Amino acid sequence: MEDEYYRQQLFKLNEQLNKLAHTSPGNADKELIALSSQISQTAMQAVSRLSKQKNFLRKQQQLRSQRLDLILQGAAVTIWELDLKSKQVSLSGELKLPNSLQVETQNQQQLSMWLKRIHKQDRQRLKSEFIRYLRAEKAYLDIEFRMYDPLGGYRFVQCRGIGNRSALSKCPTSMAGTLNDLTDVHYLDADCGLMNLNYFSDVFDDEVHKNDQLSCIVINIANMHDLSTMLSTQSRAKLMQRIINRICKARRPHDLLCSIDKSQYVLLMRGLDSSHLATIAEKLAQLLNRSLYLDNQRLWITPQVGAIDVKAHQLASAEQVLGAARSIFLELQGKHQASALYQQRYRENKRLQLETEQWIRQAIAHDWLVPYLQPLVDFTSCTVRGYEVLTRIEHPQLGLIPPGQYIPVAEQTGLIVPLTEVLIEKAVKIAQSPELHQMHQHPFRLSINISAKQFHQRSLPRQLAMQLKNAKIDPQRIKVELTESDVMENIDAAVGIIESFQSHGIKVALDDFGTGYSSLAYLRQLPLDIIKLDRSIVSGVTDNERQSAIVEMILLLAQRIDMQVIVEGIETQQEYQYLRKLGANWGQGYLFSKPLPQDEIVHKIPAIEQQLKELNDMSK
């Protein structure tokens, strides 16, 4: 409105000036002076008004620019512009993570040079998406890809953009858009703050082709799951950070530490030979093996540290490295050492384990499991009073597979549970065998080994009792055998489960007694019916006075507390006669019979009992 006012005023002044031009000069001087003054004043007002408008627009532009900068900073994006004629790329703004994607020279760079910074596996995909947009097959460009970071490693970037199209050719002449850094989303383990397995894989794939001395150390916290169950969420986070801090004490400044999962970490290391690698792995194991205080309680970590010389073993991918690490962890199970350097035989052991696992699964599915019986003999009556039922796999092509080959694998994989279930079913049928009943004047007993995994299933005693009831078998004829490791995990729970078996009339024995450092303590804590002396105690008893005294003490102690003792692993006549003098009344071993199929045992029983009579006659 104000601009229109000045325009009309100037128009009127211009009309007056035209009229004045047609009057006589004498009369027009004063009017001309006054009119000129009005024109000058009106023009100055108009100029002042335009200057104010210009300043106002400049301030508005500055405010808009500031707001746009704030928006870009808040969105953590970089603005890019592309001139399709000159193929020049311009960047502005900053990424959320280190500003490593900026171009170096005056914020501009040739498109071809910029594309070289994109991960080679993503480069062609980006070109294809770009061409699709230029051909108007897509409304806008939107793609995610990895970029090399000059500071080391990679950034994961989302690129979006759109272009101005020519009215004639309909082709874009220029493009603009944003780069958004998604590194945190794709590469960061939010729980511990380390880069994750995806990042390790990408860096490893790049390094393995250009580094002649590349190594990895993989750390597994074997008891992390158990520790996590007893800790709060905050305490678990603290524990994880304490573990990472200890690992960082052994790593070098340029080593890459990544998280595989909540219990495993991997170090990518350059320029180390095998001896130095093994030294660092051992140092890591020592650091992690120390106890720590957390929330007023003392905790112990169970580390397994595997050191892998990548180039020496020609490992070409992160998955192969992790496979090698798993084979190391298997080797470390049950051993006192906490670290090991990867060896080629570990791979062969892993292959054998996988093959054995398949045999076990096939044996369960196709009923290749055959029960073998080892006689339990009564020294006093010279009779076979029962049998330990053992599982054997008879492979149709490979023949009999030794238990030492498949039992450890079955325990590691959890297949020991279905194996034991099949064993129980077959033991029930053996208990009903008419042939065996004919060979015994009294009902014979059967012993069944129960795995640790199955022992801690609280429903097992009831299920076994129900099977025996349905088969009309007196539960007094059945004995379950546990090992020390079965009860060590939780003594209180073990007592409850043992009592549950006994409440159903099923007897409980502790197998391999004497192999554990605290075995004698179990006689006081556990309500056992039977203990079985391990072969390691029996062997050499005739020549070692101290060992002989220990066996005699156990036999006397068991007698005082009314507990049956079965001596395992009797192999010679001298051992038998010496054990008889010490007070042993029950036993089993190769002296009498090795484990055999049922039909062979049936025919061997008379010979075993005759052998016992002859041995007793010799000792008189």
Side-chain angles (χ1 to χ4, degrees), residues 369-376 385-393 403 406-407 416 419-433 436 444-451 464 468 473 477-482 511 532 566 568 588 594-598 601:
L369 298 172
V370 178
Y372 273 49
L373 306 180
Q374 185 171 33
L376 169 65
R385 296 295 299 274
Y387 308 91
E388 182 176 357
V389 186
L390 304 165
T391 308
R392 297 291 185 267
I393 294 178
Y406 68 85
I407 292 296
I416 194 68
L419 272 179
T420 305
E421 290 173 352
V422 173
L423 177 65
I424 291 173
E425 292 176 3
K426 293 184 179 294
V428 169
K429 293 180 180 179
I430 291 170
Q432 298 172 317
S433 169
L436 284 174
F444 59 88
R445 301 174 184 174
L446 295 178
S447 299
I448 304 169
N449 291 287
I450 302 296
S451 70
L464 179 55
L468 297 175
I473 297 171
R477 295 175 55 199
I478 302 299
K479 173 182 63 180
V480 295
E481 296 186 8
L482 317 171
D511 199 8
K532 299 184 73 174
I566 298 173
E568 294 183 290
Q588 64 186 90
K594 64 180 181 179
L596 294 170
Q598 178 180 323
I601 282 291

Side-chain angles (χ1 to χ4, degrees), residues 286-553:
Q286 291 173 354
L287 286 169
L288 293 170
N289 244 332
R290 300 171 186 169
S291 63
L292 56 86
Y293 283 94
L294 187 67
D295 296 339
N296 298 320
Q297 58 181 323
R298 194 172 189 176
L299 301 177
W300 279 266
I301 298 168
T302 306
Q304 294 176 322
V305 182
I308 305 159
D309 189 331
V310 172
K311 285 294 184 179
H313 296 285
Q314 298 181 340
L315 304 179
S317 68
E319 182 55 40
Q320 289 181 1
V321 169
L322 298 182
R326 286 191 290 269
S327 67
I328 296 174
F329 300 152
L330 285 173
E331 287 290 323
L332 292 176
Q333 283 182 2
K335 296 182 179 179
H336 294 296
Q337 69 184 97
S339 67
L341 185 66
Y342 179 67
Q343 300 178 33
Q344 199 66 30
R345 63 180 177 84
Y346 293 171
R347 184 182 298 179
E348 180 63 19
N349 291 346
K350 180 67 175 176
R351 184 189 64 79
L352 288 174
Q353 184 199 18
L354 292 174
E355 288 183 359
T356 304
E357 181 181 345
Q358 297 306 310
W359 295 340
I360 297 171
R361 293 185 183 279
Q362 291 176 1
I364 295 170
H366 302 294
D367 196 24
W368 296 346
L369 298 172
V370 178
Y372 273 49
L373 306 180
Q374 185 171 33
L376 169 65
V377 298
D378 182 346
F379 300 163
T380 305
S381 65
C382 298
T383 57
V384 175
R385 296 295 299 274
Y387 308 91
E388 182 176 357
V389 186
L390 304 165
T391 308
R392 297 291 185 267
I393 294 178
E394 288 191 353
H395 195 282
Q397 284 81 41
L398 302 174
L400 192 67
I401 299 176
Q405 183 174 338
Y406 68 85
I407 292 296
V409 175
E411 290 175 343
Q412 291 166 5
T413 58
L415 291 172
I416 194 68
V417 174
L419 272 179
T420 305
E421 290 173 352
V422 173
L423 177 65
I424 291 173
E425 292 176 3
K426 293 184 179 294
V428 169
K429 293 180 180 179
I430 291 170
Q432 298 172 317
S433 169
E435 289 182 320
L436 284 174
H437 278 288
Q438 290 176 3
M439 301 300 298
H440 293 274
Q441 294 180 353
H442 305 284
F444 59 88
R445 301 174 184 174
L446 295 178
S447 299
I448 304 169
N449 291 287
I450 302 296
S451 70
K453 290 182 181 294
Q454 206 156 20
F455 171 68
H456 288 285
Q457 294 178 358
R458 295 185 176 274
S459 60
L460 179 61
R462 180 179 54 80
Q463 292 174 352
L464 179 55
M466 185 63 66
Q467 284 182 271
L468 297 175
K469 182 179 179 180
N470 293 337
K472 298 180 180 180
I473 297 171
D474 183 358
Q476 294 285 339
R477 295 175 55 199
I478 302 299
K479 173 182 63 180
V480 295
E481 296 186 8
L482 317 171
T483 61
E484 184 176 315
S485 61
D486 298 342
V487 298
M488 276 182 64
E489 294 181 6
N490 190 328
I491 294 291
D492 294 335
V495 169
I497 296 171
I498 290 171
E499 290 176 343
S500 180
F501 275 115
Q502 293 168 336
S503 69
H504 292 288
I506 301 169
K507 294 187 178 298
V508 180
L510 186 65
D511 199 8
D512 301 331
F513 184 82
T515 57
Y517 67 92
S518 58
S519 292
L520 284 174
Y522 295 136
L523 298 184
R524 177 177 59 85
Q525 294 176 280
L526 301 174
L528 299 164
D529 299 298
I530 303 162
I531 57 174
K532 299 184 73 174
L533 283 185
D534 189 70
R535 166 68 188 165
S536 61
I537 291 182
V538 175
S539 178
V541 72
T542 58
D543 303 319
N544 189 316
E545 290 185 6
R546 177 173 295 205
Q547 197 166 339
S548 173
I550 291 172
V551 173
E552 185 176 15
M553 178 198 68

